[in-house]
């Protein structure tokens, strides 16, 4: 008898220890009598629910402590658990006047001691505020990452070791024409033309068996295929990661279609500029030659006429023939002079096609041509352009020719300078004119060359022709502006020129 009492006492003591250990771990136990609706809770459960130790509890009181937004859901899930006699697991918020709202998680199920009785709903409860906070932080980080990926123009695709797509960014959706839901679960080879798709699985198999890298970590240009079957050039960079001991591959993809179109347009523009530059140089040379040759031709004509007067009193039998030959030579000299004058007039009066253009766009395109390699040379570029004074009435190719010439001259002038800065700016100087300034921090303009800077065939370069600045000023003057140069505070040179503002009627015509 005493042994039985001792055994019961030990069991009771053991249960008390277990309950104390559970309470101290932050986990509470509870049971709801389904017949009486009485709720019995451990000390830890009471603390979590917000029940005082003296207050008797029931199911109705418990529901009143649940946050109003969660109350209907909790009641519904409890009812379902009782009716189905299945275990349940749910999360909800509780709060009272003494403490702020907190998140709890309860787990349990129906326990029947005897068949046919209503039994008890028993379970455990514990605080999950830290878990909810971590989940919220994780969702925020995922949202931030998703937002970044949605704004990055490059597409990102994640595949597993078998080539199945597991992530498909918004940029990838736009690039390939598949939605994220359509793409995930498919093989990435569906984004490749047939010739590449046939080899792709083989690449993955070889990598899994050998571990030998061929393109991982190395960007290369390949071909992609859109949903409609059209192909386009892409730049592909691949990274590798391990998750759960399994390999995953991340592909960053850039659509090169626009890049190739831009390169083709820049090449076309460069060809146009070279062509116009040659024509302008020939025009300048023709104009200069016409001016220089006109005087000796006039002198030849005058000498011919003078010689004919001297022959007037000659009795030489060939005098008549000589006079005729000299008359014809004088006529040809005059004819040559007239041809050269017409050529000079044609060159000087050549009309250009002027349209409304964006000055910022002209400078940007000219910079792409004239400033090639500037960053590699350590040149700091500053384009301080006023968008309010942007529209000008010009011949696009001719003005870009001027800008390219000034940019190239500036780079050459700064080749040996310790400080390399190049800037371009614009400012309204009158109601109808905009001034453009291109400044560098090169060697500047020496006083002895200022007066000759824009003369034809004058140059300070060893291999220069001396026509670039002369042509540039002729172009600007043909647009109704003027061009000049000066030294700046940085010790370099500043070239300025003016262009006509696009009038309101020009904007109407352009539209």
């Amino acid at each position: 008898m005493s042994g039985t009492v001792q055994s019961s006492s030990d069991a009771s003591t053991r249960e008390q220890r277990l309950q104390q250990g559970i309470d101290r771990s932050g986990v509470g136990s509870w049971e709801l009598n389904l017949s009486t609706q009485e709720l019995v809770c451990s000390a830890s459960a009471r603390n979590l629910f917000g029940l005082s130790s003296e207050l008797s509890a029931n199911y109705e009181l418990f529901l009143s402590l649940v946050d109003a937004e969660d109350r209907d859901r909790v009641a519904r899930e409890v009812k379902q658990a009782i009716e189905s006699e299945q275990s349940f697991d749910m999360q909800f918020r509780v709060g009272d006047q003494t403490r702020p709202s907190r998140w709890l998680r309860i787990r349990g199920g129906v326990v029947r001691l005897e068949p046919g009785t209503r039994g008890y709903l028993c379970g455990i409860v514990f605080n999950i505020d830290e878990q909810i906070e971590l989940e919220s932080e994780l969702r925020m980080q995922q949202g931030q990452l998703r937002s970044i990926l949605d704004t990055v123009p490059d597409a990102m695709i994640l595949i597993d070791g078998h080539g199945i797509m597991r992530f498909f960014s918004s940029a990838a959706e736009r690039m390939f024409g598949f939605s994220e839901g359509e793409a995930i679960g498919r093989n990435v080879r569906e984004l490749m033309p047939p010739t590449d798709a046939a080899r792709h699985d083989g690449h993955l198999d070889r990598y899994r068996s050998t571990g030998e890298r061929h393109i991982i970590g190395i960007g290369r240009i390949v071909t992609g295929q859109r949903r409609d079957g059209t192909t386009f050039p892409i730049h592909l960079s691949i990274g590798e990661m391990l998750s759960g001991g399994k390999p995953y591959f991340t592909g960053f993809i850039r659509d090169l279609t626009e890049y190739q179109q831009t390169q083709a347009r820049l090449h076309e523009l460069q060809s146009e500029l070279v062509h116009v530059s040659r024509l302008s140089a020939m025009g300048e040379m023709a104009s200069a030659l016409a001016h220089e040759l006109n005087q000796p031709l006039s002198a030849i004509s005058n000498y011919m006429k003078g010689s004919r007067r001297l022959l007037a009193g000659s009795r030489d039998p060939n005098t008549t023939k000589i006079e005729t030959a000299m008359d014809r030579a004088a006529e040809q000299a005059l004819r040559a002079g007239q041809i050269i004058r017409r050529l000079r007039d044609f060159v000087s009066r050549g009309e250009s096609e002027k349209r409304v253009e964006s000055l910022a766009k002209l400078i940007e395109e000219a910079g792409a041509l004239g400033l090639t390699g500037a960053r590699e040379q350590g040149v700091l570029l500053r384009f301080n352009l006023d968008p309010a004074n942007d529209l000008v009435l010009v011949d696009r190719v001719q003005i870009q020719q001027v800008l390219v010439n000034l940019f190239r001259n500036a780079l050459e002038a700064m080749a040996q300078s310790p400080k390399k800065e190049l800037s371009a700016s614009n400012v309204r100087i009158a109601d109808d004119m905009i001034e453009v300034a291109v400044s560098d921090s090169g060697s500047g303009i020496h006083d002895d060359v200022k007066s000759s800077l824009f003369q034809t065939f004058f140059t300070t370069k060893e291999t220069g022709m001396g026509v670039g600045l002369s042509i540039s000023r002729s172009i600007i003057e043909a647009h109704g502006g003027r061009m000049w140069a000066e030294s700046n505070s940085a010790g370099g040179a500043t070239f300025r020129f003016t262009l006509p503002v696009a009038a309101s009627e020009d904007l109407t015509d352009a539209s």
Side-chain angles (χ1 to χ4, degrees):
M1 185 71 174
S2 61
T4 303
V5 173
Q6 182 68 35
S7 177
S8 299
S9 176
D10 290 344
S12 177
T13 302
R14 220 172 16 250
E15 288 180 2
Q16 290 178 1
R17 287 200 304 268
L18 287 172
Q19 186 61 55
Q20 288 176 0
I22 292 172
D23 285 342
R24 289 177 181 177
S25 69
V27 177
S29 59
W30 54 270
E31 69 172 25
L32 173 65
N33 188 319
L34 299 179
S35 297
T36 64
Q37 298 294 295
E38 180 186 7
L39 180 64
V40 178
C41 302
S42 68
S44 180
R46 280 183 169 273
N47 181 56
L48 290 170
F49 287 140
L51 294 168
S52 64
S53 57
E54 302 84 10
L55 186 66
S56 61
N58 55 36
Y59 180 58
E60 184 177 352
L61 177 59
F62 161 74
L63 282 180
S64 69
L65 298 174
V66 176
D67 190 276
E69 294 183 5
D70 299 332
R71 192 172 299 152
D72 290 342
R73 175 177 58 82
V74 170
R76 188 169 57 253
E77 292 187 18
V78 169
K79 181 181 179 182
Q80 182 180 355
I82 295 172
E83 292 175 349
S84 65
E85 296 192 10
Q86 294 180 348
S87 61
F88 66 92
D89 186 344
M90 58 183 174
Q91 301 174 1
F92 56 88
R93 289 164 294 178
V94 296
D96 54 44
Q97 296 179 351
T98 61
R99 289 188 296 177
S101 176
R102 56 199 176 277
W103 279 93
L104 302 180
R105 180 179 179 182
I106 63 173
R107 303 182 67 180
V110 175
V111 176
R112 299 187 192 278
L113 299 179
E114 296 180 7
T117 62
R118 298 201 64 187
Y120 297 83
L121 191 65
C122 305
I124 60 172
V125 58
F126 48 94
N127 186 291
I128 58 170
D129 280 339
E130 185 176 349
Q131 174 189 332
I132 294 296
E133 185 177 351
L134 290 174
E135 290 175 352
S136 176
E137 180 70 20
L138 180 60
R139 283 194 297 271
M140 184 181 70
Q141 292 178 358
Q142 289 176 336
Q144 291 173 343
L145 177 60
R146 187 76 195 205
S147 176
I148 293 171
L149 293 175
D150 285 345
T151 55
V152 170
D154 291 353
M156 193 186 92
I157 300 174
L158 177 69
I159 66 171
D160 61 21
H162 299 282
I164 304 301
M165 290 182 279
R166 301 302 182 188
F167 179 81
F168 203 74
S169 71
S170 297
E173 291 181 322
R174 295 188 296 269
M175 190 178 295
F176 290 96
F178 290 97
S179 68
E180 182 180 18
E182 293 171 328
I184 291 179
R186 293 190 180 188
N187 196 295
V188 73
R189 62 171 175 262
E190 295 190 32
L191 308 180
M192 307 174 188
T195 53
D196 293 337
R199 296 192 298 264
H200 182 259
D201 287 345
H203 295 327
L204 286 176
D205 291 340
R206 184 183 63 247
Y207 178 72
R208 284 197 300 267
S209 61
T210 66
E212 184 179 349
R213 296 185 173 192
H214 285 270
I215 62 172
I216 295 176
I218 303 173
R220 65 170 185 170
I221 297 176
V222 295
T223 302
Q225 179 173 285
R226 299 185 181 91
R227 181 175 184 169
D228 60 8
T230 57
T231 58
F232 61 107
I234 60 175
H235 183 272
L236 174 64
S237 299
I238 298 178
E240 181 189 13
M241 60 172 284
L242 289 175
S243 179
K246 297 180 180 180
Y248 290 86
F249 304 95
T250 306
F252 292 91
I253 304 166
R254 178 173 302 170
D255 188 345
L256 297 180
T257 303
E258 185 177 351
Y259 172 79
Q260 291 189 351
Q261 290 174 346
T262 301
Q263 291 299 309
R265 178 66 190 120
L266 287 175
H267 180 73
E268 178 185 346
L269 179 61
Q270 190 171 25
S271 298
E272 290 180 13
L273 289 174
V274 170
H275 178 66
V276 172
S277 178
R278 288 174 178 171
L279 289 178
S280 299
M282 290 178 64
E284 289 288 327
M285 293 175 68
S287 179
L289 288 172
H291 176 75
E292 297 298 329
L293 291 176
N294 210 34
Q295 291 181 351
L297 288 172
S298 297
I300 291 172
S301 178
N302 291 332
Y303 280 126
M304 290 293 183
K305 292 178 181 178
S307 299
R308 192 183 187 287
R309 285 194 294 269
L310 292 174
L311 288 172
S314 176
R315 295 181 180 179
D316 190 301
N318 295 317
T319 298
T320 303
K321 294 181 180 180
I322 295 174
E323 288 177 344
T324 301
M326 296 184 72
D327 287 342
R328 290 180 179 176
E331 290 173 359
Q332 293 301 313
L334 292 173
R335 180 171 175 270
Q338 292 171 351
I339 292 173
I340 290 175
R341 278 194 297 274
R342 286 198 298 270
L343 175 62
R344 184 180 182 185
D345 292 340
F346 173 77
V347 171
S348 62
R349 289 203 300 263
E351 293 294 330
S352 59
E353 185 178 1
K354 298 181 177 66
R355 295 181 180 178
V356 177
E357 302 285 352
S358 165
L359 189 57
K361 187 175 181 181
L362 292 177
I363 293 175
E364 179 184 349
E365 292 184 353
L369 296 173
L371 297 175
T372 303
R375 296 190 185 279
E376 289 77 4
Q377 298 173 27
V379 178
L380 178 62
L381 303 177
R382 300 182 187 275
F383 287 174
N384 304 313
L385 302 176
D386 182 4
N389 298 299
D390 185 56
L391 298 180
V392 289
L393 185 63
V394 297
D395 182 294
R396 176 180 58 84
V397 175
Q398 288 188 355
I399 298 304
Q400 285 180 337
Q401 178 189 355
V402 172
L403 289 166
V404 168
N405 185 61
L406 293 179
F407 287 156
R408 287 176 175 168
N409 286 349
L411 290 183
E412 292 179 9
M414 295 187 293
Q416 305 301 323
S417 299
K419 180 181 180 182
K420 300 179 181 181
E421 292 186 8
L422 189 150
S423 65
S425 60
N426 66 316
V427 64
R428 179 78 70 95
I429 59 171
D431 292 339
D432 59 344
M433 300 299 286
I434 291 176
E435 179 186 298
V436 180
V438 177
S439 301
D440 63 60
S441 57
S443 54
I445 304 172
H446 299 292
D447 293 336
D448 56 339
V449 303
K450 276 187 177 180
S451 59
S452 307
L453 202 58
F454 294 97
Q455 289 183 6
T456 307
F457 307 127
F458 175 82
T459 180
T460 58
K461 305 175 187 177
E462 294 182 2
T463 58
M465 293 179 60
V467 295
L469 289 176
S470 175
I471 292 172
S472 296
R473 187 169 67 173
S474 298
I475 290 173
I476 297 302
E477 290 176 349
H479 281 75
R482 65 189 188 95
M483 186 175 193
W484 69 100
E486 58 192 31
S487 297
N488 57 44
S489 58
T494 297
F495 284 82
R496 303 180 186 274
F497 60 89
T498 57
L499 295 172
V501 176
S504 56
E505 56 268 22
D506 298 323
L507 298 176
T508 303
D509 293 342
S511 61

